[in-house]
Amino acid sequence: MANFSSDLAILGGGLAGSLIALAMNRYRPDLRILLVEQEDRLGGDHVWSFFETDVAPAHRDLVEPLIARRWSGYEVHFPGHSRLLSTPYASVTSERLDALVRAALGANALLTGAQVAEASPDRVALADGRTIAAGAVIDARGIRGLPHMTGGWQKFLGRMLRLSVPHGLERPVVMDARVDQLDGYRFVYCLPFSPREVFVEDTYYSDDPRLDLPVLRKRVGDYADAMGWHIDSVTYEETGVLPVIAGGDFEKFWNSAPDPGVARAGTRAALVNPMTSYSFPDAVRFAMHLTTLDNLSGVSLGRRSHSWAANHWRGGRFYRMLTRMLFGAARPEERRAVLERFYTLPEGLIERFYAGRPGLADMARVLAGKPPVPVGAAMASLAGRGYPLAPLGRAGDLR
Ligand SMILES: Cc1cc2nc3c(=O)[nH]c(=O)nc-3n(C[C@H](O)[C@H](O)[C@H](O)COP(=O)(O)OP(=O)(O)OC[C@H]3O[C@@H](n4cnc5c(N)ncnc54)[C@H](O)[C@@H]3O)c2cc1C
């Protein structure tokens, strides 16, 4: 006899699992769900950001309450040009996600501090010996690296700085690439949360997944100095080493999971943008899709999630090619030139690109003209190569 029973057991209360729980709670109140998270808090330590155009109008009700801060546009800066774009930008914090999921689900649908040991399509064993019987199980436990995939890394250290005087930023700086180009393509990302509070992230598109935290902390401090900001205190810090995907074998990746047949969501299903490694838009789309399914048996859900993820993989072909182009540029300045050129393109195209919906004309436009790195040469330089994206060990957790 199982200790718990539910219609849908969601394993992992990170971004994807929490969004599924919220979506089911809101649109399928007929189902008894159970969200299982190994930590005491949901969502870890994250600031998740997205362009509002990444989320379809029909899905915005799900996301709206999670938004901790929104801005009406954003900036990018390169040595040759700066640009103000009018696409609204928004950030969700794990603190807010945790509070909202708890309030929506109530204590009976949430199991925190509970580590999953094994899962099958209709049963879960926890590390402490307790078991869950479920109509269906979905695994959203995140992943460590991407087996059978190759590419490079987007790595970063972000710090929330409290300043003694206002920073003067009115909107996010999504890329400030005027900084020294070190360890790959480097840029700084800034989110002004309040007049004296700014989140500053030092980011690299790099061939090397290692993070030298003291060095990156110093670079965040140097950037603040260069901006004339005086730091009173650092109130939050996050780090990430996210795989940027250039190629791979999706079916081998899928079949390498330890729990065959179990449905998967989020990064565990490689539902990420191959080039930016961001998963927020796909996590929302998939959570909303799940609310429309009639047959919620574990086996059927396993097949559905496989076909959704395989479809996403096929749709990512263009982004993987751009990743090869980016990483095919040996010198960091050439990588920067790829992004600098991208940000001269029309705003609508940039929105569709980030939302994962580029049309054929958009793709042609991205590749047209004179890319700073010849596409053929870039593809040849990484074709069949790139770096294995798993196993990455601790520093390379795709969290
Ligand atoms: C610091 C950081 C910032 C990021 N910022 C952005 C951003 O701005 N926008 C964006 O789109 N993407 C961002 N990403 C990328 C990506 O969206 C995140 O990694 C996202 O959190 C992935 O969601 P997920 O649900 O797949 O995994 P996670 O959010 O990592 O969730 C997995 C959950 O499963 C739990 N878990 C793991 N194993 C077990 C187990 N055995 N039993 C029970 N629970 C378990 C973990 O504790 C965790 O809570 C960021 C990544 C990082 C690391």
Side-chain angles (χ1 to χ4, degrees), residues 68-126:
R69 184 76 168 86
R70 59 155 38 95
W71 301 269
S72 59
Y74 69 100
E75 297 170 16
V76 292
H77 300 287
F78 292 92
H81 84 288
S82 290
R83 187 169 173 194
L84 164 60
L85 294 103
S86 63
T87 311
Y89 199 66
S91 294
V92 168
T93 56
S94 23
E95 200 178 353
R96 197 169 173 98
L97 183 80
D98 177 79
L100 282 164
V101 174
R102 281 177 195 283
L105 263 57
N108 289 342
L110 188 57
L111 207 52
T112 50
Q115 192 181 26
V116 172
E118 278 173 29
S120 73
D122 58 7
R123 204 170 176 81
V124 179
L126 300 179

Side-chain angles (χ1 to χ4, degrees), residues 14-16 37-38 46 48-49 116 141 267 278-280 399:
L15 179 65
E37 167 57 43
Q38 64 184 359
H46 286 92
W48 293 287
S49 300
V116 172
R141 281 179 285 166
T267 52
Y278 272 19
S279 74
F280 192 89
R399 291 201 328 112

